[in-house]
Amino acid sequence: MNQKRPRIGVMGGTFDPIHNGHLVAASEVADAFQLDEVIFVPTGVPWHKKAVSSAEHRYLMTVIATAANPSFTVSRVDVDRPGVTYTIDTLEEVAKTYPNADLFFISGADAIAQILVWKDIEKIWPLATFVAVSRPGHVLELPDTEQAAIEVLEVPALAISSTAVRARVTAGKPIWYLVPDGVVQYIAKHELYGADN
Ligand code: NAP
């Protein structure tokens, strides 16, 4: 019997914090590429920077934000793997769980624009199609390569950014409707980003 191969999105990001732009982006990519499921994968230790919050806080906020959508799940693979997070390890682990699936690695355009310097890039190409989601008006310079499938999707809701959300919290400004309600409450409860209750 010829069964259809599952099409799985792997949404990689630091998610510090996850915001509605990320959720709209995942939903738009799922629609455009006819994905069966999107797995959100918060990074453990990001490769090039220090996350402001712990991996556990970022993982839990991602779970809260995605809980209502039956097509969204969250994976701990990067949070639980010791050391710096490399996408080669993320994709190899997801591929083990879904050996017969077509994988679509989704991330921010600025992150994917740097892909040529990622660890083991030659091994990464065959594992997934790469989907770079960009902010409106963002001019994207993608690497010049014929080895990879890189798709670009502009997502207006990505006018929201994690940096701006953190800055608003620190300044005591509201973040309602920029992030899911449960994430607003989680940030306040745990006093993340200098939140003052
Ligand atoms: P980043 O440098 O923090 O983000 C770059 C830009 O992309 C920011 O504007 C960010 O906006 C946006 N962005 C990040 N993830 C996004 C997502 N899933 N959807 C929409 N926009 C997103 O990038 P990062 O979060 O550290 O890394 C992104 C992914 O690339 C992670 O899975 C990471 O592990 C992977 N990566 C791998 C390597 C490697 O293997 N060597 C190197 C770098 C990154 P927000 O701040 O609003 O999210």
Side-chain angles (χ1 to χ4, degrees):
M1 204 172 63
N2 203 359
Q3 274 203 329
K4 185 177 160 283
R5 287 168 68 83
R7 294 165 71 83
I8 308 288
V10 180
M11 177 82 167
T14 306
F15 301 134
D16 193 18
I18 191 164
H19 54 67
N20 288 339
H22 296 129
L23 297 167
V24 173
S27 170
E28 287 290 297
V29 175
D31 179 56
F33 293 87
Q34 297 177 314
L35 305 184
D36 299 297
E37 179 183 344
V38 177
I39 308 170
F40 285 68
V41 191
T43 54
V45 180
W47 171 69
H48 56 312
K49 62 176 181 191
K50 227 172 146 311
V52 177
S53 333
S54 71
E56 209 56 42
H57 279 318
R58 293 182 289 104
Y59 168 77
L60 286 172
M61 288 191 281
T62 307
V63 169
I64 290 166
T66 55
N69 187 328
S71 304
F72 288 175
T73 56
V74 188
S75 167
R76 291 189 61 95
V77 284
D78 285 353
V79 169
D80 288 344
R81 190 183 329 103
V84 168
T85 295
Y86 293 112
T87 299
I88 180 69
D89 302 324
T90 313
L91 287 174
E92 281 184 343
E93 289 209 42
V94 175
K96 265 189 235 156
T97 313
Y98 296 88
N100 299 315
D102 290 330
L103 301 183
F104 294 75
F105 185 80
I106 310 160
S107 199
D110 289 345
I112 289 192
Q114 302 299 318
I115 198 166
L116 287 184
V117 299
W118 287 8
K119 182 169 175 272
D120 291 336
I121 188 61
E122 298 303 323
K123 289 191 205 157
I124 291 182
W125 294 139
L127 293 177
T129 296
F130 290 82
V131 185
V133 287
S134 74
R135 305 197 143 91
H138 180 84
V139 180
L140 181 59
E141 285 189 27
L142 280 177
D144 187 17
T145 172
E146 285 170 7
Q147 293 167 286
I150 303 182
E151 307 279 349
V152 182
L153 197 69
E154 189 175 290
V155 179
L158 277 175
I160 304 171
S161 75
S162 297
T163 307
V165 170
R166 290 195 304 269
R168 288 184 71 88
V169 174
T170 306
K173 290 182 176 295
I175 54 168
W176 293 107
Y177 317 116
L178 298 174
V179 305
D181 293 358
V183 174
V184 178
Q185 287 153 339
Y186 187 96
I187 289 170
K189 176 175 171 181
H190 295 278
E191 300 182 2
L192 303 184
Y193 319 124
D196 188 7
N197 286 316

